[in-house]
Amino acid sequence: MNLELRHLRVVCAIAETGSVTKAASALGLAQPALTAQLQRIERTLGGPLFERDRRGARPTALGELVLSRARVLLPAMKGLQDEAARLAGADDALGRYRFGGVNSPILGRLVHRLAAEQPHAQITTYASWSADELAALVAGGRLDFALTGICGDATPPAEFGLTWQEVAVDPVLVLLPAGHPTAGQDEVGLAELRHEQWVAAPGDGCFGDCFAAACARAGFTPRKVYETDVRGCMDLVDAGEAVALCQATFRPVAGLVTRRLAGIPLRWRLLLGWHPESPAARVAEAVLEDAVAAYTDSLAAHPDYLAWLLRHPEFGARDTGTARPAGRVRTA
């Protein structure tokens, strides 16, 4: 048997988890299959790679040697694959746009604008709840742009070397059933919702440190938080079972209302990310302008919020002529 990169990944997985059983689970394999594969690897290399007992699996001297080489080779091969993917896309960068994002208020309008401007362009979208996954796919050349959001002054994923630019900054609103006691108010104090249950979509968002900190400042700890998809969130709010945080450009839904949180305890920053050494970087400024225009288009369905923005110019669309980077950047 010839040793392959997938065999090195197996060895690393066992070492990192300290158990063949845990490694099999992490790799999505049955334990007997992984055990048999490890035995074939050990026969190929001429000796046992792990000492196994009730306490788990620990590398032998031969195992340590293999691990030291694998931890150099695997990242190097990953880097080679990423560079090759970016280079392979260089020739058709102007005719292809691959976007990643989820629950974005502007993705549809951005795609529509690009399709109108470039009817022959190939435009694809990819959905993920994870900003880290989107950034990794952009860094690896499998996506051209990531549309994601972050709460407050948090930084976007920094370890992938992407350039991030703000598209817009909005206050985070609360989504309520139309019959909620506070639905008639223009603004709702977060403390007024201290007895409510909450619901959120999975992935990166304000439900975490930002929300917990805002509730603490308001003098309470939030009750139960449900997690479900966006439709499930709306159903739970409509049923009066929970309330939810939402973006300011959340599409109006019959039976539900959005209200600003008094004092703006939470902000949502919509970001566009790309790799500065990718072919997409050549068109990134034009795509950023289209993203800002798509955000502006989305405000037409929210006249009350648009009027509020006119009184609060620190929020809303960013000026692309002076767009400021977000978090760790490598400016394009």
Side-chain angles (χ1 to χ4, degrees), residues 200-211:
D204 307 307
C206 284
F207 271 104
D209 294 343
C210 292
F211 178 65

Side-chain angles (χ1 to χ4, degrees), residues 271-293:
L271 307 178
L272 180 72
W274 64 89
H275 197 285
E277 297 175 3
S278 70
R282 300 203 300 268
V283 297
E285 292 302 324
V287 173
L288 178 62
E289 290 182 3
D290 277 335
V292 170

Side-chain angles (χ1 to χ4, degrees), residues 20-269:
V20 173
T21 301
K22 293 178 181 178
S25 177
L27 295 171
L29 299 172
Q31 181 181 343
L34 185 62
T35 299
Q37 191 172 86
L38 175 61
Q39 291 170 346
R40 290 194 296 272
I41 295 169
E42 290 178 327
R43 284 197 298 269
T44 299
L45 292 172
L49 301 181
F50 295 94
E51 295 178 355
R52 297 169 60 190
D53 55 30
R54 292 181 179 179
R55 292 177 294 174
R58 295 177 302 283
T60 62
L62 177 59
E64 292 286 4
L65 174 64
V66 174
L67 284 167
S68 67
R69 299 294 192 273
R71 287 164 177 159
V72 173
L73 287 171
L74 291 176
M77 286 303 299
K78 178 64 167 58
L80 173 60
Q81 291 170 337
D82 291 349
E83 290 294 327
R86 285 198 291 268
L87 183 60
D91 292 338
D92 62 345
L94 299 181
R96 182 191 66 194
Y97 298 87
R98 299 169 299 171
F99 291 96
V102 72
N103 199 24
S104 169
I106 69 166
L107 181 59
R109 292 178 177 85
L110 176 56
V111 169
H112 177 71
R113 278 184 165 272
L114 286 171
E117 294 168 0
Q118 302 180 46
H120 301 294
Q122 179 184 358
I123 304 173
T124 59
T125 59
Y126 173 80
S128 171
W129 293 108
S130 169
D132 284 334
E133 181 190 4
L134 293 176
L137 290 171
V138 172
R142 292 163 179 78
L143 292 175
D144 299 310
F145 297 97
L147 269 172
T148 188
I150 57 176
C151 192
D153 295 321
T155 57
E159 63 269 31
F160 303 101
L162 269 58
T163 294
W164 294 96
Q165 292 281 3
E166 285 183 352
V167 175
V169 180
D170 292 309
V172 175
L173 308 189
V174 62
L175 182 68
L176 305 166
H180 192 276
T182 64
Q185 303 172 195
D186 290 335
E187 293 185 336
V188 179
L190 191 55
E192 294 181 77
L193 304 172
R194 61 188 178 278
H195 298 304
E196 299 290 347
Q197 298 186 121
W198 296 81
V199 62
D204 307 307
C206 284
F207 271 104
D209 294 343
C210 292
F211 178 65
C215 291
R217 290 193 297 271
F220 72 98
T221 299
R223 295 178 63 199
K224 181 176 180 178
V225 177
Y226 295 102
E227 183 177 271
T228 182
D229 58 22
V230 175
R231 178 54 189 267
C233 289
M234 291 189 293
D235 287 345
L236 282 167
V237 174
D238 186 53
E241 182 65 22
V243 298
L245 299 179
C246 68
Q247 298 177 39
T249 51
F250 182 83
R251 189 183 300 274
V253 176
L256 305 180
V257 298
T258 60
R259 293 293 181 261
R260 291 187 304 278
L261 290 169
I264 313 178
L266 298 167
R267 293 178 298 119
W268 187 249
R269 298 162 62 209

